[in-house]
Amino acid sequence: MDFALSEELEMIRDSAREYAERVLKPQAGSADAAEQFSVEVMQEAAEAGFMGLTVPEEFGGAGLGNLHAAVMLEEINRWDPSIGVTLSVHISLACNSLNKWGSDAAKAKYLPRLASGEIIGAYCLTEPQAGSDAAAVRTKAEKVDGGWKISGTKSWITTGEYAGLYVVYAVTDPDAPRGRNMGAFLIEREMDGVIVGKKELKLGLRASSTTEMIFENVFVPDENMLGVPGQGFKIALDTLDGGRIGIASQALGIHRACLEESIQYSKDRKQFGKPIGEFQGVAWKLADMATALEANRMLVHKAAWLRDLGQPCTKECSMAKLAASRACNVAAQDAVQIHGGAGYTKEFPVERHYRDARITEIYEGATDIQRLVISRHL
Ligand code: CAA
């Protein structure tokens, strides 16, 4: 057993840290205030190789795995979770599922464009009546000559407005049993009938694009189906196992931001004649935050390592997401508390971290859904 990062993982961590400090740190606060997604910032992520990190080399990517992505995503999310979620969804929910389940034609057509950053990937599962109960999808896929016609409305789509390719889940056979009635389809932004719906105004991650997506009789060719008809829901859940590692890594990044900002503030801020970090009430909060971060990083890395080995890891992915997102929220709460009144203002970044942390317990399976998944494996 070896707990050290390999040389290759250290290189990824260092290059992600360099990009995050140079590009994300200066703009994360203003992008949040303006609620503006930045295509340029994503382009720089693509140039650094992050968008194609897990895409096989034959399709222009780096051919690396979930552990590499987890290490990279913690660094990105340390400074900017809006870019963090965009990258996480692109890598784990779009690139990885296309690579695992796509036809040769679809992989050759889209993976190089996704890896180079020419297009960003998005994942369209959720609908107004199908949130935690993801099998309740109503979007329809009707078989036609040479392909399928897709119609329906999807909610809360990360990168909805800026994505070039959407993985869309739709019912292919309404008479088939629940969970075995869906297909997964690749829909291009330029296809006829693709409409970007209302933009969500959010508590946090304000610089990421979240929209409704409407598909009106969109024709997709047969080769744009992932897997086979009826397999879609299993593909969705398998894909989400990997996605949950990405969101757990996001939680690590936000958690680390809370810890580092709080350590700095508790050294700078003096009350009763000494830095507040010298008071046990503050010092113990910092100790708990640091311990939880280390413990959860191990859970996240273990889940990613298992998935890279191709071993069953649904339970471990949910455990990593459950624990890391919960601890991140506790850390954000404590960080604001340590900052006192200052933490309640936009003068200090912990105000943003507190808002950003909240979503890690909600998307890609709410905390109670992770508990449901874990308990079903016990
Ligand atoms: N991998 C592959 N197959 C799986 C699986 C997995 N991890 N988990 C379950 N399955 C299989 C089951 O074996 C079952 O197969 P059979 O029909 O052959 O028996 C089938 O899939 C259905 O499974 P369940 O019976 O467990 O399904 P369920 O209806 O009880 O739901 C659930 C399970 C865990 C609650 C699931 O609906 C779920 O995860 N809900 C949360 C939805 C979610 O995470 N949404 C995220 C939206 S995307 C997002 O947020 C992205 C973003 O923008 C950031």
Side-chain angles (χ1 to χ4, degrees), residues 89 93 122-134 136-139 151-161 166-169 195-202 209-215 240 359 362-365:
V89 168
L93 303 187
Y123 177 88
C124 301
L125 175 66
T126 306
E127 297 181 8
Q129 77 295 335
S132 289
D133 183 10
V137 159
R138 283 190 200 143
T139 292
S151 295
T153 298
K154 297 288 181 177
S155 315
W156 315 107
I157 303 308
T158 297
T159 330
E161 198 177 346
Y166 304 85
V167 182
V168 180
Y169 294 86
I195 299 161
V196 178
K198 83 171 154 88
K199 178 180 172 177
E200 303 296 346
L201 300 175
K202 310 190 297 284
S209 153
T210 308
T211 67
E212 196 176 55
M213 287 302 304
I214 300 149
F215 301 100
L240 279 170
I359 192 63
I362 298 170
Y363 59 19
E364 297 210 24

Side-chain angles (χ1 to χ4, degrees), residues 55 113 292 327:
V55 170
R113 297 175 67 198

Side-chain angles (χ1 to χ4, degrees), residues 85-86 88-89 93 100-101 122-127 130-136 155-159 177-180 205 209-210 230-231 233-244 247 250 307 313-315 318 321 359 362-366 368-370 372-374 376-377:
V85 70
T86 310
S88 181
V89 168
L93 303 187
K100 185 165 179 180
W101 303 98
Y123 177 88
C124 301
L125 175 66
T126 306
E127 297 181 8
S132 289
D133 183 10
S155 315
W156 315 107
I157 303 308
T158 297
T159 330
R178 193 187 131 86
R180 296 180 187 187
L205 263 57
S209 153
T210 308
Q231 202 183 10
F233 190 55
K234 288 187 188 181
I235 293 175
L237 295 185
D238 174 69
T239 300
L240 279 170
D241 285 347
R244 287 166 185 166
I247 301 306
Q250 172 171 68
R307 192 155 168 91
C313 59
T314 299
K315 181 184 72 181
S318 283
K321 162 101 168 36
I359 192 63
I362 298 170
Y363 59 19
E364 297 210 24
D368 293 334
I369 293 300
Q370 308 310 331
L372 178 86
V373 172
I374 295 161
R376 283 180 179 177
H377 281 81

Side-chain angles (χ1 to χ4, degrees), residues 215-327:
F215 301 100
E216 279 183 2
N217 270 319
V218 181
F219 173 79
V220 289
D222 283 324
E223 64 264 27
N224 278 28
M225 176 177 255
L226 302 185
V228 296
Q231 202 183 10
F233 190 55
K234 288 187 188 181
I235 293 175
L237 295 185
D238 174 69
T239 300
L240 279 170
D241 285 347
R244 287 166 185 166
I245 299 171
I247 301 306
S249 309
Q250 172 171 68
L252 294 180
I254 301 171
H255 189 144
R256 204 174 97 210
C258 293
L259 175 63
E260 290 175 1
E261 305 291 349
S262 298
I263 292 172
Q264 190 57 52
Y265 190 77
S266 63
K267 286 179 178 170
D268 296 343
R269 172 75 173 162
K270 291 196 176 69
Q271 287 290 276
F272 304 101
K274 56 182 180 180
I276 59 169
E278 289 181 21
F279 291 103
Q280 202 173 52
V282 172
W284 285 18
K285 276 191 174 64
L286 296 175
D288 285 349
M289 256 192 230
T291 305
L293 179 62
E294 291 268 337
N296 291 321
R297 189 181 285 125
M298 284 194 218
L299 280 179
V300 176
H301 288 189
K302 184 184 172 191
W305 171 77
L306 280 173
R307 192 155 168 91
D308 285 338
L309 289 176
Q311 290 189 16
C313 59
T314 299
K315 181 184 72 181
E316 287 77 6
C317 292
S318 283
M319 284 178 165
K321 162 101 168 36
L322 171 69
S325 63
R326 194 74 284 281

